[in-house]
Amino acid sequence: MACVSVKFVSQKVNKVRWQPGDLQGLQPSYTFVTGSWDNDENRICLWRLPGLKKQSEKFSDFDGYPSQAANSEIDGDGIDSEPQLVYQEKHEGDVTDLKFINQDIFLASSSAGSVQAFKLMSGTQKLRRIQQWEGLHRLRSRACPCTSMAASGTDVTTAGEDGRINVLRLEHGPPIRTIDQADSCTINAVTYLKSNQVVTVNATGQMKIWDLRQPDSQPVRVFLLTGEMTALHCVDRHPTQSHLVAAGSQNSVLNMWDLRREKYPVTLFDGHEGPIWEVKFHPTFSDHLFTCSDDGSVLHWNGSGSSSASQIAAQNARSGESIYSSLGLGGLPTKPTPSSPTSPWLASDPSHQVDINHVLPSNAMPVNSLDVEADQLVCGTDGEAVFVVQNLGLR
């Protein structure tokens, strides 16, 4: 059964990220980072979960920080549910994004158009700034927000309110590539599809793929929403199927694209009642996806119960439909073969393939950010609270 704890942090939380755990995400992390926004003084904060008492004793130096759980009060389930503040750092402007490059180094972007790299100092419970890029994003003569970042190894791609794309390298000073007029409006989010390819979403509802090896400033492909122009706020790539991309929109719809197909979404999911601010596939249990919204909810989209290709194929065969038919958009590709199993995210009737569950108890304030790893989730809100959900029960 899921265990939900809440920590009031006296600042609006705009971004939250787990420090990567061991064993490719199967070993839970006990450390996460938050970034605030819309405060008189914004901060980056480092937090630690005491976790299970036995585990905290075993991993007393796990992720470089001495455990504080041994002397803390443990509840009836053996879990001390309240995160503990390890360190905080002042930050110029709103923290617009956070991104871990590896277990020790993460990036923070700012509404002032800059990006900083921080190293978690083992044993000192501190952060040390190791790199800074100023003036990455500007509108005319003034700085504007760097809205999103994506990382592939030590290469980092940034996107901004100015429609610009920068490619940075951790050990390098100036950007190694800049696409000045990549978009005519705000780019709200960016993520890597491959080591040299990124996908962006913008304020007019377009999703674009960029090949960073190409010398010109034109996208490789452009994808659209159906109907009127509606902003796309967030995007994430399926962890094992790079052609499958999810994006959350201003009108509360979760859009699923199959990049091998037409330019419109293959499947549309309803569940929220406000703009979707972040979408995240689980990194190891890819039939599970999580979203957070301005309506104050975090939803768990669970496709594991009927993700078998044979189950979906049998159902659609009975109804006389193609396994990929959805919303009547565009032409249909060839039917899947055993070597290309069908995803529950592309089912013809998603209401029968994906279960939707609320993760948080009643919460009225917008949830701006979430992150999930192993069997636990963390999210931050405008209500100056951080929620930690453990024992998600994924399979």
Side-chain angles (χ1 to χ4, degrees):
M1 184 175 180
C3 172
V4 182
S5 62
V6 58
K7 176 75 173 182
F8 292 97
V9 298
S10 302
Q11 52 188 336
K12 294 181 180 180
V13 178
N14 197 37
K15 289 296 174 181
V16 58
R17 295 289 181 261
W18 288 112
Q19 178 189 21
D22 284 341
L23 303 177
Q24 297 181 332
L26 296 176
Q27 170 66 52
S29 173
Y30 291 94
T31 305
F32 63 90
V33 178
T34 61
S36 68
W37 82 294
D38 195 29
N39 299 291
D40 292 335
E41 183 180 273
N42 289 300
R43 300 173 185 174
I44 295 171
C45 295
L46 184 64
W47 303 87
R48 181 174 171 82
L49 288 179
L52 297 177
K53 187 172 183 180
K54 288 183 179 179
Q55 288 177 323
S56 64
E57 290 170 352
K58 180 178 179 181
F59 299 107
S60 60
D61 291 321
F62 180 71
D63 63 27
Y65 299 99
S67 172
Q68 303 176 39
N71 298 320
S72 61
E73 211 173 290
I74 305 296
D75 67 18
D77 296 325
I79 297 175
D80 179 358
S81 59
E82 187 170 290
Q84 298 169 352
L85 180 63
V86 175
Y87 183 77
Q88 56 185 327
E89 174 98 3
K90 292 180 182 180
H91 185 267
E92 180 187 1
D94 299 337
V95 178
T96 55
D97 203 1
L98 295 169
K99 192 72 62 178
F100 271 91
I101 289 180
N102 53 42
Q103 277 193 309
D104 300 320
I105 297 172
F106 72 91
L107 305 170
S109 61
S110 171
S111 59
S114 62
V115 171
Q116 299 178 81
F118 293 92
K119 183 177 178 63
L120 282 66
M121 303 304 294
S122 177
T124 64
Q125 304 185 51
K126 289 185 178 181
L127 302 176
R128 180 169 65 88
R129 189 172 65 193
I130 59 173
Q131 181 64 282
Q132 182 168 355
W133 295 270
E134 297 281 1
L136 292 175
H137 296 278
R138 304 184 68 84
L139 281 171
R140 296 183 177 88
S141 60
R142 66 175 182 85
C144 69
C146 173
T147 54
S148 181
M149 300 179 293
S152 176
T154 58
D155 283 357
V156 179
T157 296
T158 75
E161 199 174 274
D162 54 357
R164 178 181 296 176
I165 293 174
N166 294 294
V167 182
L168 313 175
R169 189 157 289 158
L170 184 61
E171 64 274 13
H172 196 267
I176 61 174
R177 172 87 192 276
T178 296
I179 306 176
D180 275 319
Q181 298 178 339
D183 221 320
S184 59
C185 62
T186 299
I187 301 175
N188 287 325
V190 59
T191 193
Y192 273 88
L193 294 176
K194 302 175 182 178
S195 61
N196 49 32
Q197 198 173 75
V198 296
V199 58
T200 61
V201 294
N202 70 16
T204 61
Q206 294 178 321
M207 184 172 74
K208 300 180 180 182
I209 297 177
W210 305 85
D211 189 335
L212 301 177
R213 298 168 300 181
Q214 299 297 324
D216 58 24
S217 59
Q218 299 301 313
V220 175
R221 295 182 68 187
V222 178
F223 298 81
L224 304 171
L225 289 177
T226 58
E228 62 185 41
M229 292 189 298
T230 302
L232 290 169
H233 293 301
C234 52
V235 64
D236 195 27
R237 178 188 72 90
H238 191 281
T240 60
Q241 302 177 58
S242 61
H243 62 272
L244 183 56
V245 172
S249 67
Q250 174 69 25
N251 64 356
S252 76
V253 174
L254 175 62
N255 303 269
M256 222 40 95
W257 270 276
D258 184 345
L259 302 183
R260 303 169 301 183
R261 295 192 60 205
E262 300 296 321
K263 62 183 178 180
Y264 297 107
V266 174
T267 317
L268 307 180
F269 293 94
D270 286 316
H272 287 291
E273 297 180 356
I276 299 175
W277 296 130
E278 200 148 61
V279 56
K280 178 72 174 178
F281 281 103
H282 193 284
T284 49
F285 297 96
S286 58
D287 285 341
H288 297 265
L289 180 144
F290 297 85
T291 54
C292 63
S293 169
D294 201 70
D295 63 13
S297 67
V298 174
L299 295 185
H300 174 192
W301 308 76
N302 181 0
S304 65
S306 38
S307 60
S308 164
S310 59
Q311 287 178 325
I312 301 172
Q315 177 183 344
N316 288 326
R318 288 193 297 271
S319 64
E321 296 178 353
S322 164
I323 198 168
Y324 275 106
S325 63
S326 177
L327 304 174
L329 300 176
L332 298 175
T334 58
K335 293 182 179 181
T337 64
S339 63
S340 62
T342 300
S343 165
W345 310 114
L346 302 178
S348 62
D349 187 352
S351 64
H352 291 120
Q353 307 302 334
V354 179
D355 294 325
I356 308 173
N357 299 291
H358 284 266
V359 175
L360 297 185
S362 179
N363 170 58
M365 299 300 290
V367 182
N368 299 318
S369 180
L370 66 84
D371 198 16
V372 61
E373 184 170 298
D375 65 344
Q376 56 192 16
L377 176 146
V378 61
C379 61
T381 77
D382 271 356
E384 302 186 350
V386 172
F387 289 87
V388 177
V389 184
Q390 296 174 299
N391 303 323
L392 289 170
L394 306 179
R395 60 181 177 86

